[in-house]
Every structure is written in C-alpha cells, then in structure tokens.
C-alpha cells in the first residue's frame, strides 16, 4: 500500500520532470528557430494564419459584445450613484486586464489546442514523427517550435484585437443606443489606462500562449500507438491548459496588485 | 490554392502589423494623456487625517483635473503630509493664499481634493511651496479673511450638509452655554456656588440673622423703656413728678432738652450720612439699608419717647406727629427675584 | 572473415510491459552488404531494425556506429549520422500534410539549406526518373495508392544517397509489378555498395539479395551470419523457421528446396 503510493509519487515526479525537460527543449528550440530561420518559417506563418487570423472573427464578436454590454450596463447604473467616471476603470479592468487574455486563451485552447494535440497524436500513430527522426529532423524544432511561437504570437495579437473591439469597437456600437461624446470617452479611457495594465495584459497573453502550446504539443506526443488514444490526449490537453491558464491568471493578477 | 493559403504571408503580415500599430498608438496616446513628457510642478499640503486620501487621487479645480497626489505620509506631529503635483497648464492658478479642500461624498465613495485658488492676482507660487488645507487654522483664517475664492458647493447634498453642519454646531454651543448658565444660577441660588451671587446671598442671610438679633434687643430695650415710662412708681414717672428729677431736667429752660435735641439731631445727621453711605453701598448691599432703616426706626421711636417726655401734657406740649420718612431704598425683602 | 561492421548491436535488450521484445541481441551488420532479418510475425524484427537505425533506444546494451555508441552522439553528430542513413517504413510513414514532392525534398532542404530550389527540383526529378515514377508529385500521400506511397517513401530514404539503408517490409502492401520495381531499386542500391538492412518475409528478396541473414524468434537471435552459412544451419529451430517463414510468403517461384540449397546471389 505504501509502496504503491511511493510508486505513484515517483511516477508523478518523473512525469513532471519529463514535462519540464520537454518545456526546456521547446523553449530552446524556439529560441534557435528564431535565430536559424530554418525550414519551419513557412510553418510558422501558416500556424499564425490558422491560429490567429482564423480566430479573429470570434474574438471580434466576443470583444464587441462584451464591450457593449459593459458600457450599457455601466452607463445605466453608475451615474445613479454619481460614479459615471468609473465606467472607464471598469472597462479597462474587465477587458484589458482580465477577460482579454483569458477569453482569447480559451478560444485558442478550443480551436488550436485541440487541433495541435490531434495532429501530433495522429502523426505519432502513423509513424510520421519517427520518419522525421529518421531523416534527422528534430520533431521538436521542426514541429513544436513553430507551433509554440505561432500560438504565443497569435494569442498576444488576438488579445490586442480583443481590446480594439472591446474598447473602440464597442464605442461605435453604443453610439447607436446611447451617444457619448468621442473626445470624452477616449480621454476617460486613456486616463484610466495605465502602462501596468497593458503590461499585465501582454504578460498574461504570453504566459497563456506558452501554456497552451506546450501542453498541447506535450500531450500530442504522449500518444503511443493506437489512434484511440488521440481523443484521450486531446481531452487531457484541453483540461490541463484551462487549469494552468487560470492559475497563471491568478498569480499574475496577484503580482499586479502587489506592485 | 486557396486565396488564404496563397497570400498567407501577406495576410499574417497585415494581421501582425495592425495589432502592433494599435499598441504603439495606444502607448503614444497614454503618454500624451498621462503627461509622461510634460512638466509637473510639485507642492505639499497637510491634513489632519489620511481618511479619504489616496495616492494618485486627482486634484480638481472647477471640475477639471489639475493635478494628482504623489505621496502620502505621516509626520512627527501625527498629521498627514501629502506631496502633490500640478500640471504645467494650470500652474498659474496656484496663487498665494490658495487652499486645498478634501471633499468626502456622503456615500463613502468618490469625493476628492478640490483646489481653491487665492484671490491674490500675483505670480504663481514657487515649486515646493506649502498650500494649507481648508480645515487647518491657516486655511480657515484665509477663508474668513476672504482671501480665498471658494465657490458654493455644486452638489446639493453636500451643500445642505455643509450648511446644516455649522448651524448644528452653533445650536450645540448655545445649549451648552445655557446649560452652564443654569448650573451657575442654580448653584448661586442654593448658595453653594463660589460666585458673587452665591456669596451675596450667603452674607445676606447671615446679616438677616444678625439684624433680627439686634431688633430683638432693641425691642426689649424699648419695652423696658416703655414700661419704665408707664409704671407710676418707675423711674420715668418718678422723674415726671413735679418734684422729681425730671421736672428739674425739664424745667431748666429746655437746656437739657436742647442739648438732647442737638445730640439727636447730630445722631440723625450721622445716621443720614450713614444712610447716604449706605445708599452708595445699596447698589450692591441693599440689606444694609434695610438694617439701617430698622435702626432708624428704632431711634425714631426713641426720639418719640423723649419727645413724648418733653411734650408730656403733664409737663407741656404733645407729641408732634411723626412724619414717616420713606426708606431710601427698597427693603431687600421687597423685591421679587 | 571478419567484415567491417557498419552497425553492431551488443547485448541489446528492449522491453515493453513484461515480455522482452529483444532479449540480449548481439549482431553485426557488415558494411557494404545486404543483411536480411528473418523471423515469424511479432518476433521483434521491426524493433530490431529500429534499434539498429537508432530510432528506438534499447533498455540495455549498446549500438555501435563507427566505433561510437549511437545514443551517445551529440546533436551535430546525430545529424551527420542521419544524413548517412535512410529508413523505409512498413507503412510508408509519409508526411501527410506535405506533397509527394515535399516529402522527397525535405531531407534535401534540411541537410543542405543552401541548395537552391532549382537544384532541389533537379535532384528530385532525377530520383523520380530513376525509378520510373510517373505520377504527379504535387499530390498528397492520401491521394496516392499504397504502392506509390511505398515508392516515394523509398525515394525519400535514398534522396541523400545514404550509405546505410534500412527497410521494413519493403514489399508489403504492394502489387507484383511494383514489387519487382522495388527489388530492382534495392539491387541498384546494393550495386552502389550501400549497406542495406532489410526486414522481410519475402523469399525472393531474401534469396536474390541477401548477403547475410539474421534469424530471429521471440526476441532472440537464433542464427546470424552469411546467407549460405545460415541457410545450411543444422539448428532444427532455424530450419523449421526458415521453411515456415519462407513458405508464408505469397510471392515466390521455384522449389523451396532449390531456394534453400543454392539461392541466387548477385
């Protein structure tokens, strides 16, 4: 009984070390990728296209809708307690600092996290990964690094677009319902926006990008031989990504408030 | 190949560039809006408490933000020092005799620092000058002296509260004073207090006791005199016999009578003087007048007796009717309190 | 006669779950020769091949290449090693997201990044011409037949003209004409002095091309050595296995005994 527990713990630790080693490899190869600009350059472009550009419509709609809702709710409620000026702080806190990074991360987990895990898993099953090794191509540098960089870059950029649509786009939509003077709105927004907000938002996106890509690729490679393992690893990838992103979000928010 | 795939690089390029451009634009706008490159002027102020103060809190003048709080600290005198900066566009408002007011919203949220410039139209204050807060002694002095330009509060609730507050304060002070006054009077009336009224009343009651004693003595003397005057074998009657000493006294051609009369007249004058003296004293000690009145009364009776003796119909004359002289002051027991 | 070995396996053991797939295997793969690994299904032939090719890391034992342990090679040395080897997978294992052309050219562009696009194209086309593959190279593997995939997989393996070629069941899943073509291609490689290691059931391939034989059963090497020697083995197991394996194959002509007796060598 104790031996079983001990074995489990050792297994767990080994698993974590393995994962840590994997992450290290990924980071190293990504760094080298940027420096060497090998064959994977086209792969990187395609990755950003699929992960970033194709998710833009979802992100835009989400950002717009959220922004509009916040503005309308805020502008109905806040002036009643004489705090109309708080709407800008609320917008910045909700869209820039909190929902921007985490919602775009969720969108990317759902779209690209699943796709990457599935793709890599099926490549393992069909021995394509082995074929890469046989030719001498390091699968981490050729497959994982561009995905890692592509997903992280896409997340960063999508976060920015989320802010564009959430802060700016929603303004134009609200004009149809409850007009606010342009200068007043943007001045209010710019006064509430601190560089720390922007930094926190970008750092979050970066961390989430690393998490999503690393977890998806790691789980994809864990397939061994049967294609029935593929959905299992995808589920694991999604679950782990969600959890790690939320934990990272909490940690970064804490750091932001302790500064 | 699909359009998207064929122009993948261009699409991705545009995608990335627009996002980066947006970010750059926002950073620039923040820089302008939050005045990273503009000069701020720094000043200090002091408040009795840090409640309602926070770093970064805006300082407003007529609804415009002219600066913000940079630092808040507690000094050795347990007062709160704040360092704040004012934007260069508004530096000319920071004149001499300006004050800073901490406005708190009744709901507990919001509120802020409001700047009231001095009416002095001179040059702006030098950087790092001290600007007093409205509630400090200096601030109040400036306001009362009319050196600060303070507009009425625009927020209705704050205004009403602002006006009610001093009224309540005044009423409170008045009630406290009245209460003190009543306490004093009560104390005074009961004679327990140490103030003049109390001692006055205490002395008055002492004096009344003494006067009563004197009057009793006088009364007994008068009684004895009267008895002496009326008893046929008493000294008075004896004196009134034609062969008695009285006859002799009275028949000396009024010499003794004149002598006594003179004495009485002198006594009267003296008493009158005393009475005048007492009139002077009367403004503060009306009871002495009363006592003296009684004394005079008694002496008048004595005088009457002697006059009666002189004007005894057995001898000659009669008692002249006495003219009642009114007291020079109201008896102390007459007036009500 | 001690032949210089291209790859040498020393006491290699590989386990997955309880039963060992390779149990204390020690063999020598001589350079410039064609070695055929024979054995019943599931005996660990593919694993042995992959261990020899450095694709699978054994649990214990060493794989020696040019005097060095294959798994102790640094990254650069590893890439050089890979440049010298080609592997043909049993299921082709072509990269499904790339075209046939890209499958072949990727190795070229990876190892020679400075090679211009024209040159790459020229080389690919010469390879294609070599085997007489006339189908379109812009198709994806999924769009091609199994045989075509096998051929492209072979082309991919030899694109860099490696000195070591590993083949896992090269004639499986393909029709007769394509199989013949394949045998020709392998013979060409052999003619060029390459070291070839083949895992196969096919008796024709074995008899026509094998210089050396390795007989494997249940993860253990029963016999290994030159073809003529192994074929005349007195080991009962070897004999029964040989007959069993060679009779399992669906394509062979001629008498079994003929094959066992003399074997047509090149």
């Amino acid at each position: 009984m104790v031996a079983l527990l001990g074995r489990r713990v050792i297994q767990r630790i080994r698993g974590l070390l393995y994962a840590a080693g994997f992450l290290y490899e990924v980071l190293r190869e990504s760094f080298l990728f940027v420096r060497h600009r090998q064959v994977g350059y086209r792969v990187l472009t395609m990755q950003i296209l699929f992960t970033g550009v194709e998710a833009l419509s979802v992100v835009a709609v989400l950002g717009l809708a959220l922004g509009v809702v916040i503005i309308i709710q805020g502008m109905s409620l806040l002036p009643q307690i004489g705090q109309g000026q708080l709407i800008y702080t609320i917008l910045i806190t909700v869209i820039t600092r909190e929902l921007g990074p985490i919602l775009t991360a969720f969108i990317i987990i759902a779209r690209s996290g699943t796709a990457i895990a599935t793709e890599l898993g099926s490549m393992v099953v069909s021995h394509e990964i082995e074929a890469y090794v046989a030719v001498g191509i390091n699968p981490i540098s050729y497959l994982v690094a561009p995905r890692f960089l592509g997903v992280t870059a896409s997340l960063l950029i999508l976060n920015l677009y989320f802010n564009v649509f959430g802060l700016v786009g929603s303004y134009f939509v609200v004009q149809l319902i409850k007009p606010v003077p342009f200068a007043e709105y943007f001045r209010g927004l710019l006064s509430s926006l601190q560089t720390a907000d922007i930094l926190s938002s970008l750092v979050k996106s970066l961390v989430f990008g690393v998490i999503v890509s690393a977890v998806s690729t790691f789980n994809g490679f864990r397939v061994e031989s049967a294609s029935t393992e593929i959905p299992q690893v995808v589920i694991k990838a999604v679950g782990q990504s969600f959890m790690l992103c939320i934990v990272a979000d909490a940690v970064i928010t804490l750091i932001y408030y302790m500064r | 190949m699909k359009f998207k795939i064929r122009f993948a690089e261009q699409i991705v390029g545009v995608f990335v560039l627009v996002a980066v451009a947006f970010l750059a634009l926002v950073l620039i706008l923040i820089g302008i809006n939050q005045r990273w490159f503009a000069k701020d002027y720094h000043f200090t102020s002091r408040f009795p408490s840090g409640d309602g103060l926070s770093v970064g809190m805006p300082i407003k003048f007529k609804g415009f933000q002219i600066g913000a709080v940079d630092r808040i600290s507690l000094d050795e005198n347990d007062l709160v020092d704040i360092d704040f900066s004012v934007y260069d566009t508004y530096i000319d408002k920071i004149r001499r005799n300006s004050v800073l007011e901490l406005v708190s919203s009744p709901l507990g949220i919001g509120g802020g620092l409001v700047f009231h410039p001095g009416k002095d139209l001179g040059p702006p204050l030098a950087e790092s000058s001290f600007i007093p807060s409205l509630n400090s002694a200096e601030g109040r002095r400036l306001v009362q002296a009319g050196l600060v330009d303070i507009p009425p509060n625009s927020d209705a609730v704050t205004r009403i509260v602002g006006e009610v507050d001093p009224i309540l304060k005044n009423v409170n002070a008045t009630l406290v004073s009245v209460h003190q006054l009543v306490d004093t009077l009560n104390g005074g009336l009961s004679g327990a207090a140490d103030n003049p009224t109390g001692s006055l009343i205490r002395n008055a009651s002492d004096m009344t006791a003494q006067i009563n004693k004197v009057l009793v003595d006088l009364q007994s003397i008068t009684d004895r005199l009267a008895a002496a005057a009326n008893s046929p074998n008493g000294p008075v009657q004896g004196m009134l016999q034609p062969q008695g000493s009285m006859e002799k006294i009275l028949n000396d051609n009024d010499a003794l009578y004149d002598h006594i009369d003179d004495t009485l007249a002198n006594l009267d004058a003296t008493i009158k003087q005393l009475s005048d003296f007492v009139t002077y004293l009367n403004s503060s000690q009306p009871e002495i007048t009363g006592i003296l009145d009684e004394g005079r009364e008694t002496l008048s009776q004595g005088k009457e007796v002697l006059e009666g003796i002189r004007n005894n119909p057995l001898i000659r004359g009669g008692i002249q009717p006495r003219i009642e002289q009114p007291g020079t002051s109201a008896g102390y027991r007459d007036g009500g309190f | 006669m001690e032949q210089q070995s291209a790859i040498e396996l020393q006491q290699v053991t590989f386990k997955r779950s309880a039963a060992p797939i390779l149990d204390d295997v020690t063999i020598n793969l001589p350079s410039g020769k064609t070695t055929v690994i024979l054995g019943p299904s599931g005996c660990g032939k593919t694993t042995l091949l992959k261990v020899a090719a450095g694709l699978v890391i054994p649990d214990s034992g060493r794989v020696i290449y040019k005097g060095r342990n294959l798994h102790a090679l640094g990254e650069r040395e590893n890439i050089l090693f890979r440049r010298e080897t080609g592997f043909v997978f049993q299921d082709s294992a072509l990269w499904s997201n790339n075209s046939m052309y890209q499958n072949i050219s990727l190795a070229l562009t990876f190892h020679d990044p400075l090679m211009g696009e024209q040159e790459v194209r020229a080389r690919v086309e010469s390879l294609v011409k070599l085997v007489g593959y006339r189908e379109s190279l812009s198709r994806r593997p999924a769009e091609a037949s199994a045989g075509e995939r096998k051929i492209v997989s072979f082309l991919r393996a030899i694109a860099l003209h490696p000195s070591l070629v590993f083949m896992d069941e090269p004639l499986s899943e393909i029709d007769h004409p394509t199989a013949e073509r394949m045998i020709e291609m392998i013979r060409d490689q052999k003619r060029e002095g390459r070291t070839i290691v083949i895992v196969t059931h096919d008796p024709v391939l074995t008899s026509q091309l094998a210089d050396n034989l390795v007989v494997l059963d249940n993860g253990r090497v029963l016999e290994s050595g030159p073809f003529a020697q192994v074929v005349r083995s007195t080991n009962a197991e070897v004999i029964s296995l040989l007959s069993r394996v060679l009779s399992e194959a669906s394509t062979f002509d001629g008498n079994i005994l003929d094959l066992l007796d003399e074997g047509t060598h090149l």
Side-chain angles (χ1 to χ4, degrees):
Chain A
M1 185 48 190
V2 179
L4 182 69
L5 184 69
R7 250 204 307 277
R8 285 271 180 84
V9 170
I10 291 174
Q11 247 177 14
R12 258 301 159 84
I13 292 175
R14 231 183 246 149
L16 280 171
L17 283 174
Y18 184 74
F22 178 81
L23 183 64
Y24 166 72
E25 277 294 318
V26 170
L27 290 169
R28 197 174 71 107
E29 292 300 331
S30 302
F31 178 67
L32 291 172
F33 182 95
V34 172
R35 286 188 59 193
H36 292 165
R37 299 253 191 94
Q38 278 180 319
V39 267
Y41 184 66
R42 173 88 182 159
V43 180
L44 175 62
T45 308
M46 298 308 282
Q47 186 66 51
I48 297 181
L49 184 75
F50 294 134
T51 305
V53 177
E54 285 187 0
L56 191 58
S57 52
V58 179
V59 165
V61 169
L62 214 64
L64 256 176
L66 245 138
V68 167
V69 162
I70 293 173
I71 292 179
I72 291 180
Q73 297 269 37
M75 282 185 171
S76 317
L77 185 65
L78 292 171
Q80 289 177 23
I81 51 171
Q83 297 304 323
Q85 286 299 106
L86 268 183
I87 185 68
Y88 304 113
T89 313
I90 291 175
L91 270 172
I92 300 291
T93 304
V94 172
I95 289 182
T96 304
R97 290 211 324 249
E98 291 302 326
L99 288 189
I102 201 77
L103 273 185
T104 46
F106 285 177
I107 293 172
I108 285 189
I109 290 173
R111 291 184 83 252
S112 304
T114 52
I116 289 173
T118 310
E119 189 187 4
L120 289 179
S122 59
M123 280 175 98
V124 172
V125 169
S126 64
H127 298 129
E128 287 177 47
I129 305 289
E130 259 187 325
Y132 279 118
V133 176
V135 172
I137 296 173
N138 182 351
I140 292 183
S141 79
Y142 187 71
L143 295 170
V144 177
R147 279 166 181 73
F148 177 82
L149 292 167
V151 165
T152 307
S154 298
L155 232 168
L156 269 167
I157 293 171
L158 281 174
N159 186 21
L160 286 170
Y161 278 109
F162 188 88
N163 279 278
V164 170
F165 287 101
L167 298 173
V168 178
S170 58
Y171 167 78
F172 290 107
V173 175
V174 169
Q175 287 303 96
L176 303 167
I177 304 164
K178 215 186 228 189
V180 175
F182 180 85
E184 177 194 326
Y185 179 83
F186 283 103
R187 201 175 312 128
L189 215 61
L190 288 167
S191 305
S192 312
L193 188 60
Q194 306 285 328
T195 38
D197 293 325
I198 297 178
L199 198 68
S200 139
S201 184
L202 290 176
V203 165
K204 277 188 189 174
S205 309
L206 193 77
V207 170
F208 294 164
V210 170
I211 290 173
V212 172
S213 53
V215 169
S216 308
T217 48
F218 180 76
N219 279 287
F221 280 140
R222 298 199 80 187
V223 171
E224 283 183 359
S225 49
S227 57
T228 50
E229 292 176 49
I230 295 176
Q232 291 172 8
V233 297
V234 170
I235 291 169
K236 233 184 254 173
V238 170
Q240 285 174 359
S241 300
F242 270 126
M243 223 187 45
L244 285 170
C245 281
I246 290 173
V247 168
D249 185 44
V251 168
I252 296 175
T253 306
L254 238 127
I255 295 174
Y256 173 88
Y257 277 108
M258 288 209 295
R259 66 181 167 102
Chain B
M1 251 209 274
K2 275 162 59 177
F3 170 84
K4 210 191 321 184
I5 311 285
R6 215 165 47 226
F7 295 105
E9 286 184 1
Q10 287 86 337
I11 295 172
V12 168
V14 167
F15 180 71
V16 173
L17 277 172
V18 169
V20 171
F22 171 73
L23 183 64
L25 180 69
V26 166
L27 284 171
I28 292 172
L29 285 174
I30 293 179
I32 294 174
N33 201 285
Q34 295 184 3
R35 315 164 51 73
W36 291 343
F37 303 107
K39 166 102 175 100
D40 289 338
Y41 293 85
H42 300 277
F43 297 93
T44 58
S45 185
R46 194 170 294 133
F47 286 85
S49 161
D51 280 333
L53 287 172
S54 59
V55 175
M57 178 180 227
I59 296 173
K60 294 206 169 153
F61 171 56
K62 303 249 190 219
F64 287 85
Q65 179 171 350
I66 63 166
V69 174
D70 293 331
R71 222 170 66 95
I72 302 175
S73 56
L74 196 63
D75 70 7
E76 321 75 60
N77 300 322
D78 290 340
L79 293 172
V80 177
D81 283 339
I82 64 161
D83 298 334
F84 63 95
S85 48
V86 173
Y87 306 146
D88 55 3
T89 33
Y90 298 105
I91 184 60
D92 52 337
K93 306 273 180 261
I94 314 299
R95 302 191 280 260
R96 224 161 60 88
N97 301 328
S98 303
V99 292
L100 211 55
E101 180 187 358
L102 179 63
V103 176
S104 50
S105 158
L107 286 168
I109 45 168
L113 283 167
V114 177
F115 176 78
H116 301 293
K119 287 186 180 161
D120 191 308
L121 286 173
L125 285 174
E127 196 169 354
S128 304
S129 304
F130 178 78
I131 294 178
S133 66
L134 187 66
N135 291 329
S136 65
E138 172 72 11
R140 275 197 292 265
R141 184 189 72 79
L142 287 172
V143 172
Q144 275 166 5
L147 291 170
V148 188
D149 183 13
I150 293 200
N153 255 319
S154 52
D155 183 18
V157 177
T158 320
R159 194 174 57 226
I160 291 169
V161 168
E163 284 175 20
V164 165
D165 199 40
I167 294 173
L168 282 173
K169 276 206 193 93
N170 284 338
V171 169
N172 193 36
T174 309
L175 281 173
V176 167
S177 308
V178 169
H179 194 70
Q180 279 178 340
L181 186 66
V182 170
D183 277 342
T184 314
L185 287 171
N186 276 338
L189 278 177
S190 64
D194 270 333
N195 49 33
T197 318
S199 53
L200 196 74
I201 292 176
R202 262 204 307 276
N203 293 340
S205 61
D206 289 341
M207 231 176 290
T208 317
Q210 284 176 6
I211 290 169
N212 276 338
K213 220 157 90 44
V214 167
L215 279 175
V216 165
D217 289 342
L218 277 177
Q219 188 68 39
S220 65
I221 293 170
T222 317
D223 285 344
R224 272 192 264 151
L225 275 178
N230 288 329
S231 68
N233 292 322
V236 178
Q237 293 292 1
M239 279 194 275
L240 289 178
Q241 296 297 332
Q243 281 83 31
S245 49
M246 216 57 196
E247 185 65 27
K248 287 197 188 112
I249 293 169
L250 291 173
N251 273 334
D252 61 354
N253 297 318
D254 294 321
L256 182 63
Y257 166 74
D258 288 327
H259 186 70
I260 290 173
D261 206 357
D262 288 331
T263 312
L264 281 175
N266 286 336
L267 211 58
D268 201 353
T270 311
I271 288 174
K272 190 134 185 351
Q273 279 176 5
L274 214 59
S275 177
D276 288 333
F277 175 69
V278 167
T279 308
Y280 172 72
L281 285 178
N282 196 37
S283 53
S284 49
Q285 307 269 13
E287 69 282 6
I288 296 178
T289 317
I291 296 163
L292 292 169
D293 274 343
E294 295 285 342
R296 282 194 70 205
E297 185 79 36
T298 313
L299 286 170
S300 299
Q301 285 180 357
K303 190 175 168 193
E304 260 179 70
V305 167
L306 288 173
E307 203 173 22
I309 295 168
R310 194 196 98 185
N311 293 329
N312 196 319
L314 300 174
I315 309 169
R316 67 173 166 202
I319 297 179
Q320 284 173 357
R322 181 163 69 127
I323 302 165
E324 189 71 38
Q325 277 198 334
T328 50
S329 82
Y332 75 92
R333 279 200 200 276
D334 290 347
F337 249 105
Chain C
M1 176 178 58
E2 191 63 37
Q3 289 161 327
Q4 191 199 30
S5 68
I7 300 263
E8 195 183 327
L9 273 73
Q10 294 173 350
Q11 289 157 321
V12 164
T13 306
F14 183 75
K15 280 201 189 93
R16 196 184 285 179
S17 64
I21 296 176
L22 290 177
D23 194 0
D24 199 23
V25 168
T26 303
I27 55 168
N28 185 20
L29 301 168
S31 77
K33 301 285 179 203
T34 304
T35 308
V36 171
I37 301 174
L38 282 173
S41 303
C43 67
K45 304 193 295 293
T46 304
T47 313
L48 178 62
L49 192 72
K50 286 186 178 171
V51 168
L55 293 174
V56 170
I57 302 173
D59 294 330
S60 67
R62 300 187 330 148
V63 180
I64 309 292
Y65 169 74
K66 285 190 180 166
R68 302 206 34 209
N69 192 342
L70 207 57
H71 302 293
L73 291 179
E75 197 181 319
R76 207 154 285 201
E77 290 160 326
N78 193 50
I79 292 181
L80 286 171
F81 171 70
R82 291 294 163 206
R83 212 201 158 111
E84 293 299 314
T85 55
F87 200 103
V88 181
F89 289 86
Q90 187 170 2
D91 47 5
S92 309
L94 291 176
W95 300 309
S96 43
N97 220 20
N98 295 357
S99 67
M100 295 299 216
Y101 174 81
Q102 284 167 334
N103 267 282
I104 302 171
S105 65
L106 187 59
L108 291 167
T109 47
F110 177 77
H111 285 282
D112 280 321
L114 301 168
M115 199 185 282
E117 202 182 315
Q118 301 281 52
E119 199 184 333
V120 170
R121 192 160 279 278
R123 282 186 69 166
V124 170
E125 275 174 16
S126 72
L127 276 168
V128 166
K129 215 173 287 171
L130 204 68
V131 302
Y133 183 78
R134 271 184 233 102
E135 317 309 328
S136 167
L137 286 175
S138 59
R139 287 187 303 167
R140 295 268 177 100
E143 296 161 17
S145 67
E148 286 163 4
R149 286 203 288 270
K150 229 2 170 322
I151 292 176
V152 172
S153 169
F154 181 75
L155 289 176
R156 176 176 72 178
I158 63 166
L160 286 164
H161 304 299
S163 54
L164 270 169
V165 182
F166 298 89
M167 295 191 206
D168 192 357
E169 308 272 6
L171 303 181
S172 69
E173 292 174 31
I174 56 177
D175 55 17
H176 189 69
T178 319
E180 290 203 343
R181 223 172 172 193
M182 200 64 140
I183 294 174
E184 272 310 307
M185 293 193 301
I186 298 173
R187 195 175 281 136
D188 286 337
Q189 295 297 309
K190 187 180 155 94
R191 225 180 270 132
E192 289 181 31
R194 305 201 202 283
T195 309
I196 304 174
V197 184
I198 307 176
V199 165
T200 187
H201 285 148
D202 194 275
V204 173
L205 191 62
T206 312
S207 62
Q208 290 188 7
L209 298 177
D211 297 321
N212 286 49
L213 270 183
V214 173
V215 179
L216 204 68
D217 191 14
N218 276 330
R220 287 179 299 112
V221 174
L222 294 178
E223 185 114 15
S224 78
F227 179 84
Q229 181 189 318
V230 172
V231 151
R232 280 169 182 76
S233 168
T234 49
N235 191 325
E237 278 185 55
V238 174
I239 296 171
S240 73
L241 207 128
L242 276 174
S243 60
R244 207 175 357 121
V245 165
L246 292 177
S247 65
E248 269 171 21
S250 55
T251 62
F252 66 92
D253 33 315
N255 201 310
I256 253 181
L257 281 162
D258 283 40
L259 261 82
L260 287 176
D261 255 352
E262 33 190 69
T264 323
H265 293 274
L266 207 73

